[in-house]
Amino acid sequence: TVLPPASPGRDEQGGTRRLALFMNALATLAPKIEIAHFVPEAAIAATGDPARVDREQSDYWKHPVGVTLIANHQRRETFRNHYLSGVLDAAEQPLVHHFAGAAQAAAVGELLDRKPDLVLVNGLAAMCAVLRSGRRPPRLFFDQMDIDHLVRLRWCLQPPLSPGKLAYLAHMPALIAAERRSGALARMTFACSQGDRRHLRRIGIGKVAVIANAVALPADPPPLPAAPTLLFLGSGGHAPNIQAIERLVTRIMPLVLRQAPQARLLIAGKGSDTLPSRRETQAGIEYLGFVPDLAGLYARARVVCCPITQGGGTRVKLVEGAAYARPLVATRIGAEGLDFADGREILLRDSDTAFAAACVELLRDPGRCQRLGEAARAKALDMYDADRVRDTIVRLLQQS
């Protein structure tokens, strides 16, 4: 995995929470799990005793875990290696090469030579190291958390456009080729949604199963508050979240406040309190940073917002909001891949004006809030419960 070792205070990011679904499934099948993390070289030097890292990760995952840290590849960026090398090889592309250089591929190859009973690869960047290693494990499974070429394509074509962004379009064929090679190597590829599954099938990947992003559902969600409060929850280190927060603060919230002057916006998530918009004091907006008490946070929130316009996969933040029986307002890209019906379990609005109007409507109508939140929770219970998804993963791993 390209994710860092998990720790309290970092586990709110969607990637780690998705990995947890697979870790919990693997824990029912294997007496021990070995995890290889790609990390900056400085992080390896700072970890100290490897046995301590193993103990900490075993405590975190509640299962015996052994950790291998693989130093990221470093290079001096030039026009040639930044733009041209990736045209032929996805492993040379800017967002991938850190994890798929020659040394990284060799380290992965040494781990695979130990003949593990089962291999799970978490994300395309990590898979590129496996492909470069030349090894072909017989029981390899690939979790394609995002459709990488689709995420990159959306980013390239999203305003503001520039020659540099458009130049990355030349990387698309190599990225799609890497996804196809990954699907061919894997015994099964996992996707976040039926839409992602269809997309992978269209590019020639045949063995694809849907593993929905899921959360542990609280038994008794706190009641909706009387205060007219909106919530955005997401890591401030993730580019789509940063863009969504800036949009909420600078474009959507002013429209909300014109119609509902008492409204407030809570922005929560690790690093979210250090974003550029935080530098200016603005009425009605609280930057909370990482909040360990999710139940307490949702107890303050009347409506969950997700005005995201970039990225791929499915948004754990919306699944979690539904689990807490909160009404959801999102863009169509923000809710992509989730089986929430517009008008019944979620309100889908793309423009700033329409998004703000939907928020104001819910802030003014407690009954509509209640109905929408309860319907969203019912759908989450049916489709996005972590225990059910874990059992699905176990069944697929055993049958394949």
Side-chain angles (χ1 to χ4, degrees), residues 15-339:
T16 302
R17 298 177 76 169
R18 181 169 177 82
L19 180 61
L21 298 172
F22 289 91
M23 290 293 291
N24 291 335
L26 291 171
T28 70
L29 300 175
K32 186 176 182 180
I33 303 171
E34 300 282 345
I35 311 180
H37 296 273
F38 295 92
V39 297
E41 190 168 356
I44 297 178
T47 55
D49 180 16
R52 177 181 58 79
V53 178
D54 288 355
R55 289 194 300 272
E56 289 176 350
Q57 291 302 292
S58 297
D59 289 343
Y60 182 91
W61 294 114
K62 299 179 175 58
H63 191 76
V65 167
V67 177
T68 298
L69 301 179
I70 301 174
N72 290 345
H73 174 58
Q74 298 296 323
R75 72 184 185 192
R76 185 176 65 87
E77 292 295 310
T78 65
F79 180 86
R80 179 182 179 83
N81 63 30
H82 192 86
Y83 287 107
L84 302 183
S85 299
V87 172
L88 298 177
D89 187 351
E92 295 294 330
Q93 294 179 7
L95 297 179
V96 180
H97 78 85
H98 295 295
F99 318 107
Q104 291 69 38
V108 167
E110 290 178 7
L111 294 173
L112 295 177
D113 286 342
R114 298 178 189 175
K115 308 298 182 186
D117 298 305
L118 181 151
V119 178
L120 173 70
V121 183
N122 180 234
L124 183 65
M127 180 61 99
C128 282
V130 175
L131 295 173
R132 270 198 159 179
S133 76
R135 304 325 194 263
R136 298 293 181 266
R139 297 199 70 221
L140 182 144
F141 297 84
F142 175 38
D143 180 30
Q144 186 150 356
M145 302 176 288
D146 295 324
I147 309 299
D148 291 73
H149 78 269
L150 182 59
V151 172
R152 198 83 55 85
L153 179 65
R154 284 176 173 169
W155 177 80
C156 288
L157 298 179
Q158 185 171 60
L161 300 179
S162 67
K165 284 176 72 174
L166 294 175
Y168 290 124
L169 294 175
H171 289 178
M172 293 301 111
L175 205 53
I176 293 171
E179 290 173 332
R180 286 175 175 159
R181 290 176 61 203
S182 301
L185 179 62
R187 185 166 286 198
M188 180 169 287
T189 297
F190 300 119
C192 290
S193 67
Q194 290 293 346
D196 282 0
R197 180 179 183 272
R198 287 191 294 270
H199 202 86
L200 292 173
R201 295 291 296 271
R202 281 198 294 269
I203 67 170
I205 300 174
K207 299 168 290 184
V208 184
V210 174
I211 298 298
N213 283 328
V215 299
L217 276 71
D220 296 301
L224 289 171
T229 305
L230 309 174
L231 169 65
F232 179 91
L233 174 60
S235 169
H238 186 45
N241 286 341
I242 295 172
Q243 184 193 58
I245 291 170
E246 296 300 305
R247 182 185 180 195
L248 260 176
V249 169
T250 63
R251 291 155 49 187
I252 295 173
M253 196 59 184
L255 297 175
V256 172
L257 290 171
R258 286 179 197 171
Q259 303 174 70
Q262 302 306 313
R264 299 194 66 78
L265 170 63
L266 307 178
I267 298 173
K270 186 176 175 64
S272 60
D273 53 344
T274 63
L275 297 178
S277 60
R278 179 67 179 86
R279 298 173 192 149
E280 298 181 13
T281 302
Q282 299 181 59
I285 301 175
E286 291 184 47
Y287 292 82
L288 303 176
F290 174 68
V291 179
D293 179 14
L294 285 179
L297 177 63
Y298 280 102
R300 296 183 61 191
R302 174 91 72 86
V303 178
V304 169
C305 299
C306 184
I308 279 179
T309 57
Q310 288 187 30
T314 57
R315 318 295 171 190
V316 176
K317 57 175 65 65
L318 288 177
V319 175
E320 186 172 74
Y324 278 92
R326 265 41 189 175
L328 312 171
V329 182
T331 57
R332 282 167 174 77
I333 287 180
E336 186 177 43
L338 295 172
D339 198 26

